[in-house]
Amino acid sequence: MTVHISPLPDAAAPPDPEGGLGALSTDRGNLPLDAVDVRASITGLVAGVEVTQGFRNPFDVPLEATYIFPLPDRAAVTALRLEAADRVVEGVLKERAQARQDYDAAIAAGRRAAIAEEDRPDVFTMRVGNILPGERVTVRLTLIQPLPYEDGQATFRFPLVVAPRYIPGTPLDEPAAGDGTAPDTDAVPDASRISPPVLLPGFPNPVRLSISVDVDPAGLRLTGIGSALHVVAESGDGERTTVRLQPGERLDRDFILRLAYAPQETASLTLVPDEDSEEGTFSLTVLPAGRHRPRPRDVVLVLDRSGSMHGWKMVAARRAAARIVDTLGTADRFAVLAFDNVVERPPRLGPSLEPGTDRNRFRAVEYLATLEARGGTEMLAPLRDACHLLHDSGTRDRVLILITDGQVGNEDQILADLLPRLRGVRVHTVGIDQAVNAGFLHRLAQAGQGRCELVESEDRLDEAMEHIHHRIGAPLVTDLRLEADGLRLVPDTTTPARLDALYPGVPLVISGRFHGRPQGGLTVHGVAADGSPWRQSSTAVVSSNRTVASLWARAHLRDLEDRYLTSGSDDLERRIVDTSLRFGVLCRFTAFVAVDSRVATEGQTPHHVVQPVELPSGWTAPAAPMAAAYAGPMGAPGAPPVAGVPAAFPAPAPAATSGAPMARGPMAPGSMPRFRLPGARRRSSSELDDLRQRLTEHLQRLTSTPTPDQALLVDLLQFLEPAVQRLEALGTDVDPLATLVADLQAVHTPLDAAALQGLWDRTIKILTEFTTQAPQEPRPRRPFWKRTP
């Protein structure tokens, strides 16, 4: 179908100063989401939050609205409520497939319904259906959020926009999993669920935003409150303080409130018995004291220079990287990797780790000063390279530092690939953005037993770099383990699953489950920086604070979900669902659904609209055309959107908007910034083919070497260990490769010529047989989240 558009004379279409490019409107407004209200109540170091989303139907047919939005990545979502007219419906937490089925059935039957699903730890999708013409529906979410506390400062961070994320991989030839603008790919099979359409620059503020935060120090001594990115007003009575956001702000950057508390000197152990079982939840806070003693380090600095880092973020990233390089000493070794869709190194430094001499540090800083933002965010390759550089560091501290905004969609793929490679490597992440992907950066830092530091502006950089300097030094205590004294711990419930090291000024919070009477204590053992034994004991205090169980459940579910990435176990999936339902905390395998029992519409299929979001503050609009951030059934697949023509809209009103709602239908090319250069490297069509190809490359290196080389076998082992785990998870027979890995791992000393030749010949034989056999079809596996019921 072809749509012909004739230009109107200026007199018939005078410009509207309040409209963006191609803006359209209805007499009731132009977007379904009209208000977001955030009300937080901070008590000590925990925040209870209620998020209210208001949806209004501006059309004359029933409406189904989809909104892709962020929440704090460590918050536990514990309740949902749907309010419309005189109806109030409490949401129920169910297994995700069942919740979707219930929601779809309710919409088909003409009943109002809402469903909230988690797609990333900090990205959620809300669908609200059968909103009547002119009607307003409100959805309330209840959260509990721990406040990170470091160096005498607690931070309340509430994200307000899902930034565009780079989507690597080959598009899948199957129906889209969601309603977003990016196609699903083999690397990001749910890309269409995390890519909302983006409003055009200049579009009038479509959503009323209000934020209020009540602060109760709860016995701590509050010495200051500061808002990092917004103007706020404060009021209070001396004991409690209320902070309110000034009206008129847009949902285009994180809301960040920092609370300065007087330093705390003691550790604490809290036990909270369950009301309905013989179990309970414990929360232990360990506060380190002392100074770290630097040891020789191997440091690999990985810097993101992709297109999304444009502007102040690239400037801040260069400064941060240069500051880190300047902290190195001559006893340290280091490497710098800068990446977009290719990985580059300073041309005047070698391909391996270099000593931290004045000359080498100068060359690195000189190179960093030349970097500009460009290209795509192909993050997996440089992180693999960094792990490879650090694999042979001996007794030296191995440190990987990633500086990025984290705006990638393939977080699960990256973590699944890296987890086996991070043994002994400490990972610190530095997130630079006003709408940073905090969920991914926290997950990666926790997997590497390091720290995550977030920088929202250049003004914050110097303070953040002081923190980072303390973190990349040797930690105060390592090799932590937990010992119970009179308290019966439930196995495999402690979170973090791998206990972190202790860093100066950073308390470590350990939580878990216990069985029986709430009594006794816990002792944390470790090894101090000087090699001496370290311990800290705490005696329990019994409490009735139910938030402790919710916060533990959220953290434990995150640990279990990350374990699922490498195992794909059905038993683990069942455990995740059971834990989520038992403790009433949303996760990626469950969903909150609210269904009204009253029929609201009669036989009308609701018009579906996807709420567009703001371009994050500080981002530059993409060069690709975005005059209409939607495509509808009238548009042929692959056809560019027509500016100002709401192809899928009903016709109740004169107009809608460009940047206006995205209607369900084919993806509009160029409707999201992908930050990929023409000819950018893409992943092969399947992970199995990719692994087989890389094994073939290793085989070619071996067969092209005239004499056996033990160093090449060590290099092969670094790839084979994680590769065998992934091949096994994909359903491939890996017995010969697994045996080869075990034999290579058993080599601890240089082999004599005969033994090396024998191992070399067998390695070539096994790799040849594996890479030349007919490709195996991987066994069917359910993805991390449920595509369909």
Side-chain angles (χ1 to χ4, degrees), residues 27 133 161 165 208 323 388 452 545 599 610 628 637 772:
D27 56 2
V161 63
R165 299 188 179 190
R208 296 190 309 274
R323 290 276 296 274
H388 177 72
C452 173
N545 184 359
V599 175
V610 180
T772 57

Side-chain angles (χ1 to χ4, degrees), residues 479-566:
D479 300 330
L480 299 178
R481 61 183 178 86
L482 196 62
E483 179 183 43
D485 180 15
L487 186 66
R488 296 167 56 191
L489 303 185
V490 177
D492 198 22
T493 63
T494 299
T495 182
R498 297 171 59 200
L499 294 182
D500 294 349
L502 293 177
Y503 293 89
V506 184
L508 172 63
V509 178
I510 305 170
S511 58
R513 299 283 289 168
F514 67 87
H515 182 82
R517 294 175 61 84
Q519 61 183 14
L522 291 173
T523 299
V524 180
H525 295 268
V527 178
D530 61 2
S532 63
W534 179 94
R535 58 177 287 171
Q536 186 175 87
S537 299
S538 299
T539 302
V541 175
V542 179
S543 170
S544 59
N545 184 359
R546 301 299 165 196
T547 64
V548 171
S550 297
L551 293 176
W552 164 80
R554 175 59 169 144
H556 185 55
L557 286 166
R558 186 170 60 245
D559 285 344
L560 294 178
E561 288 172 344
D562 285 347
R563 283 167 55 181
Y564 183 87
L565 290 177
T566 55

